[in-house]
């Protein structure tokens, strides 16, 4: 299957600092990438939809000024957690779907980023 | 009502058993159905992908979709301890649309 690389896999930062997480599709192009947050023993919660060349679409309750998303190319989207606080500690996962005609729409996930804010 | 309902388990079975995992959904527009396996502290890994109704088999895994009942299943034959993970169902209406996930079912296969 297609490969989505997410970096870093684990990061610890101090409260008040910003952290950038990268999501790359390695062997395909994706106009749309999704960013999720996952709490322990819970499913993925969609945070925002990242569209190449345009502003991201945020889900209700997700602060767009806190979670900055940049989708600068067809293979890269970044999520920046600004002024991080301990309650932002979580597992962040991105996914991307290959550009295809005809309707297929598998989503492939990155390996996730464990963020710990101390 | 949630878009996708999935029994969180936990489900515990002996090695070699047949496992049945299920999800129900409410949105009749869903056409794309996926099953993911997620090991602890890892990102979800795509296991099976099905478009519209029908069955799909891949090795020990079989995915079934019944759109009339809004019900999907994943069967695991000859289950192995390495199958112990959380299994998430996901679905989508159209290409590029967001995916809706079940809460995941935690499975443990006991040697």
């Amino acid at each position: 299957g297609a490969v989505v690389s997410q970096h870093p896999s684990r990061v610890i930062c101090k409260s008040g600092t910003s952290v950038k997480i990268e999501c790359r599709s390695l062997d395909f192009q994706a106009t749309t990438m999704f960013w999720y947050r996952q709490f322990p023993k819970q499913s993925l919660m969609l945070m925002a939809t990242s569209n190449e060349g345009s502003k991201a679409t945020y889900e209700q309750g997700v602060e767009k000024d806190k979670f900055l998303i940049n989708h600068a190319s067809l293979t890269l989207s970044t999520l920046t957690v600004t002024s991080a606080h301990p309650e932002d500690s979580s597992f962040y996962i991105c996914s991307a779907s290959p550009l295809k005609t005809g309707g297929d729409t598998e989503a492939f996930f990155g390996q996730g980023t464990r963020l710990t804010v101390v | 009502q949630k878009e996708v309902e999935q029994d969180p388990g936990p489900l515990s079975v002996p090695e070699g058993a047949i496992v049945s995992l299920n999800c129900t959904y409410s949105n009749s527009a869903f056409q794309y159905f996926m099953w993911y396996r997620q090991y602890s502290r890892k990102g979800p890994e795509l296991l099976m992908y099905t478009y519209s109704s029908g069955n799909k088999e891949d090795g020990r895994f079989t995915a079934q979709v019944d759109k009339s009942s809004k019900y999907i299943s994943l069967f695991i034959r000859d289950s192995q301890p390495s199958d112990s993970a959380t299994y998430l169902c996901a679905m989508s209406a159209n290409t590029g649309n967001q995916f809706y996930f079940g809460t995941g079912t935690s499975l443990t296969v006991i040697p």
Side-chain angles (χ1 to χ4, degrees):
Chain A
V3 178
V4 175
S5 176
Q6 191 172 336
H7 177 80
S9 59
R10 182 184 295 267
V11 59
I12 301 173
C13 70
K14 289 186 177 180
S15 186
T17 61
S18 296
V19 173
K20 180 184 284 189
I21 303 169
E22 291 188 348
C23 181
R24 292 181 186 274
S25 55
L26 297 186
D27 51 1
F28 66 94
Q29 293 183 327
T31 55
T32 304
M33 293 186 177
F34 301 93
W35 286 96
Y36 297 87
R37 184 172 178 176
Q38 188 176 33
F39 293 99
K41 299 187 184 296
Q42 294 188 31
S43 190
L44 293 83
M45 180 190 78
L46 180 66
M47 298 174 64
T49 303
S50 170
N51 302 296
E52 188 267 337
S54 64
K55 291 183 179 180
T57 304
Y58 290 82
E59 295 300 299
Q60 191 173 11
V62 178
E63 298 176 61
K64 62 181 181 180
D65 294 329
K66 181 166 186 61
F67 298 99
L68 300 178
I69 291 174
N70 186 306
H71 195 152
S73 76
L74 286 172
T75 59
L76 174 63
S77 175
T78 61
L79 168 69
T80 301
V81 183
T82 63
S83 186
H85 290 282
E87 58 265 30
D88 298 324
S89 299
S90 190
F91 194 55
Y92 294 87
I93 308 175
C94 69
S95 77
S97 296
L99 277 175
K100 285 185 183 180
T101 56
D104 283 3
T105 186
E106 304 104 310
F108 297 92
F109 285 82
Q111 61 268 52
T113 298
R114 171 75 55 190
L115 171 63
T116 303
V117 184
V118 298
Chain B
Q1 182 186 10
K2 286 184 181 178
E3 296 272 4
V4 181
E5 299 277 358
Q6 183 177 8
D7 186 341
L11 183 62
S12 184
V13 301
E15 184 175 354
I18 296 174
V19 177
S20 172
L21 303 166
N22 312 293
C23 287
T24 59
Y25 61 96
S26 57
N27 189 341
S28 58
F30 289 148
Q31 299 186 77
Y32 304 93
F33 305 92
M34 289 143 283
W35 284 96
Y36 290 88
R37 176 173 62 196
Q38 186 177 23
Y39 293 110
S40 180
R41 298 176 180 270
K42 301 288 185 183
E45 168 196 9
L46 180 65
L47 273 181
M48 299 287 285
Y49 163 78
T50 310
Y51 170 66
S52 193
S53 284
N55 294 0
K56 188 172 185 177
E57 187 173 324
D58 184 1
R60 297 185 294 111
F61 298 91
T62 300
Q64 290 184 351
V65 175
D66 182 348
K67 290 190 70 179
S68 62
S69 301
K70 297 189 181 67
Y71 186 89
I72 69 170
S73 300
L74 177 71
F75 297 96
I76 306 174
R77 291 183 299 280
D78 188 24
S79 56
Q80 303 294 309
S82 57
D83 295 328
S84 299
T86 295
Y87 290 80
L88 294 151
C89 63
M91 43 202 81
S92 176
N94 286 301
T95 303
N97 274 20
Q98 78 171 82
F99 296 86
Y100 294 86
F101 286 85
T103 51
T105 300
S106 176
L107 171 67
T108 300
V109 180
I110 302 168

